[in-house]
């Protein structure tokens, strides 16, 4: 027996499938979806009507109503797909779209452009100068053994020089390196003499911070091992390096300085960049600025590195990279360097 509800279901399905196919745009399609499939939608109500059907027909009705619902859903989905495609095609066909505009203009707002940190910039320049002179650029651990940071550098536990570098101690005799000199003996073991290398990196000191002291800062160590190395060679290498970095011929001078791992040890001063040596407030009227400590590698350190001091000599220096950045960019407070403050960083 043909049942009346079957005709009704067919009619509803036909109507909504046709309506969906003709939806003018996505917004129109959404309201059609609500009218058909929403809580009070016509199709939804038809499905619910199963409760009013004669018990012997219920199973057939339920299946038929579910099929109508599935059909209508499919029709809506198909139309949505078609409309979205058309929208994209219209956008692409629109000549007013200028694909050569930078992305930030398309977004309609300025996105911040990143750049490398001033420390990274200066470090890259120093590395370029040294690699052009045949130096390797090495990377050593920030967590070091007491041996590499102190003992190998002729600073045994009882040595008063330990007091000069307040240390962050870790468990198991490890520490955060207090200077990049901790790489010296590692480098000697890693390379056959003669060799030349620099090793830049972060170092740590357990100390109170102020405008010129920071618990974390950057150094760049230089080490050259060869036969017949002299103070004259060291001095000339430093003059070449600093002229390249400061971009003009510079005058340097050595003063005696004490570091257990060099003998003799020096403080190297550079002629004040601001007054040209005449004396000003930046150089405390002396005409000179203290720039880096250096010296000839101590025989004990060569031995710790497996080198015979009768055959091999060397020079070393510890450049304060943070200090150099401060000099170059006239930064008044070392704590700005690692502050991560974009208001400050975005100037560079
Ligand atoms: N490591 C020393 C420090 O951080 C600096 C230093 C002095 C490094 C003399 C050297 C050197 O290579 O020869 O205080």
């Amino acid at each position: 027996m043909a049942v009346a509800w079957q005709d009704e279901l067919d009619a509803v399905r036909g109507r909504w499938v046709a309506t969906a196919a003709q939806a003018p745009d996505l917004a129109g399609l959404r309201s059609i979806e609500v009218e058909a499939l929403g809580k009070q939608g016509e199709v939804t109500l038809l499905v619910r009507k199963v409760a009013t059907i004669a018990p012997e027909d219920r199973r057939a009705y339920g299946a038929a109503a579910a099929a109508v619902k599935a059909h209508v859903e499919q029709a809506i989905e198909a139309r949505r797909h078609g409309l979205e495609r058309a929208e994209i095609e219209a956008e692409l066909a629109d000549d007013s779209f200028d694909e050569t505009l930078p992305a930030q203009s398309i977004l309609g707002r300025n996105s911040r452009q990143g750049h490398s940190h001033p420390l990274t910039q200066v470090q890259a320049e120093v590395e370029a100068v040294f690699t052009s002179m045949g130096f390797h650029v090495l990377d050593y651990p920030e967590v070091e053994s007491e041996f590499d940071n102190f003992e190998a550098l002729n600073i045994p536990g009882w040595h008063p020089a330990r007091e000069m570098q307040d240390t962050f101690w870790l468990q198991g005799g490890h520490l955060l390196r207090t200077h990049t000199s901790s790489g010296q003996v590692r480098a000697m073991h890693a390379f056959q003499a003669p060799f030349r290398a620099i090793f830049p990196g972060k170092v740590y000191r357990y100390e109170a911070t102020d405008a010129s002291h920071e618990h974390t800062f950057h150094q760049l160590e230089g080490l050259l091992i060869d036969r017949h190395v002299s103070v004259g060679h060291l001095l000339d290498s430093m003059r070449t390096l600093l002229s390249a970095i400061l971009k003009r011929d510079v005058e340097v001078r050595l003063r005696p300085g004490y570091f257990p791992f060099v003998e003799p040890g020096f403080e190297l001063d550079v002629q004040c960049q601001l007054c040209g040596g005449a004396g000003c407030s930046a150089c405390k009227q002396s005409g000179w600025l203290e720039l880096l400590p250096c010296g000839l590698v101590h025989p004990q350190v060569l031995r710790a590195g497996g080198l015979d001091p009768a055959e091999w000599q060397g020079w070393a220096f510890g450049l304060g990279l943070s200090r150099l950045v401060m000099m170059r960019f006239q930064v008044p407070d070392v704590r700005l360097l690692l502050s991560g403050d974009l208001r400050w960083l975005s100037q560079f």
Side-chain angles (χ1 to χ4, degrees):
M1 161 189 114
V3 276
W5 48 258
Q6 185 65 60
D7 293 340
E8 189 190 355
L9 286 178
D10 286 346
V12 169
R13 179 183 56 199
R15 190 151 35 75
W16 283 116
V17 167
T19 310
Q22 285 157 23
D25 50 32
L26 285 166
L29 186 65
R30 265 191 295 279
S31 42
I32 290 169
E33 189 173 22
V34 172
E35 281 170 50
L37 300 168
K39 266 203 177 129
Q40 297 301 318
E42 188 177 9
V43 175
T44 308
L45 295 179
L46 268 188
V47 171
R48 280 207 214 125
K49 221 169 116 183
V50 68
T52 68
I53 300 296
E56 64 276 20
D57 281 350
R58 264 185 210 158
R59 177 190 282 267
Y61 180 88
V68 169
K69 183 176 178 222
H71 246 102
V72 174
E73 280 171 354
Q74 273 169 27
I76 289 175
E77 222 20 74
R79 182 64 180 153
R80 173 172 294 132
H81 193 75
L83 285 170
E84 282 172 354
R85 239 195 119 77
E87 213 167 69
I88 292 170
E89 265 157 24
E91 227 169 79
L92 290 175
D94 182 355
D95 285 343
S96 64
F97 177 82
D98 181 354
E99 68 277 16
T100 65
L101 280 178
Q104 60 188 36
S105 312
I106 295 171
L107 290 171
R109 58 184 140 89
N110 285 334
S111 51
R112 256 189 226 250
Q113 189 105 41
H115 61 77
S116 55
H117 192 284
L119 274 164
T120 315
Q121 293 171 24
V122 173
Q123 181 179 322
E125 280 179 35
V126 179
E127 287 180 5
V129 172
F130 276 103
T131 47
S132 78
M133 300 193 296
F135 281 71
H136 298 280
V137 180
L138 308 176
D139 191 18
Y140 286 126
E142 289 172 28
V143 172
E144 263 296 3
S145 65
E146 183 175 359
F147 178 80
D148 281 301
N149 195 84
F150 289 126
E151 278 156 33
L153 294 169
N154 198 26
I155 316 175
W158 50 263
H159 201 288
R162 289 236 180 160
E163 307 290 310
M164 288 159 62
Q165 299 184 354
D166 288 319
T167 308
F168 284 108
W169 290 96
L170 307 174
Q171 285 168 351
H174 285 83
L175 46 78
L176 293 180
R177 67 177 173 197
T178 58
H179 51 183
T180 45
S181 306
S182 58
Q184 285 196 15
V185 165
R186 283 176 177 276
M188 290 177 201
H189 282 296
F191 290 89
Q192 299 283 327
F195 72 90
R196 43 188 77 183
I198 55 171
F199 13 114
K202 253 190 222 152
V203 303
Y204 302 85
R205 301 276 171 94
Y206 180 58
E207 60 187 348
T209 62
D210 61 30
S212 49
H213 294 88
E214 176 61 300
H215 49 69
T216 305
F217 55 100
H218 286 71
Q219 289 186 336
L220 187 143
E221 193 84 5
L223 178 64
L224 176 141
I225 301 290
D226 213 325
R227 297 184 167 93
H228 316 301
V229 170
S230 68
V231 172
H233 185 232
L234 167 66
L235 192 59
D236 192 56
S237 305
M238 293 301 99
R239 194 183 292 121
T240 307
L241 156 71
L242 294 170
S243 298
I245 295 171
L246 298 172
K247 298 190 170 53
R248 58 181 171 126
D249 285 343
V250 293
E251 281 306 314
V252 297
R253 73 172 185 189
L254 293 179
R255 280 179 295 119
Y258 176 71
F259 304 93
F261 35 93
V262 280
E263 178 58 40
F266 304 102
E267 293 285 357
L268 183 140
D269 297 339
V270 60
Q271 203 166 53
C272 180
Q273 299 292 290
L274 293 178
C275 62
C280 67
S281 62
C283 60
K284 300 192 187 98
Q285 310 305 327
S286 73
W288 297 92
L289 283 173
E290 185 178 322
L291 191 59
L292 58 84
C294 54
L296 297 188
V297 180
H298 196 289
Q300 282 290 78
V301 179
L302 291 169
R303 276 188 207 106
L307 299 173
D308 178 2
E311 185 178 4
W312 299 106
Q313 296 157 356
W315 55 246
F317 67 87
L319 176 67
L321 206 55
S322 302
R323 209 181 140 85
L324 188 62
V325 169
M326 291 174 74
M327 268 177 77
R328 165 78 83 75
F329 297 113
Q330 270 135 44
V331 181
D333 190 324
V334 63
R335 291 169 295 188
L336 286 166
L337 293 186
L338 298 181
S339 66
D341 189 336
L342 289 176
R343 291 169 305 178
W344 179 75
L345 279 171
S346 57
Q347 319 171 56
F348 300 99

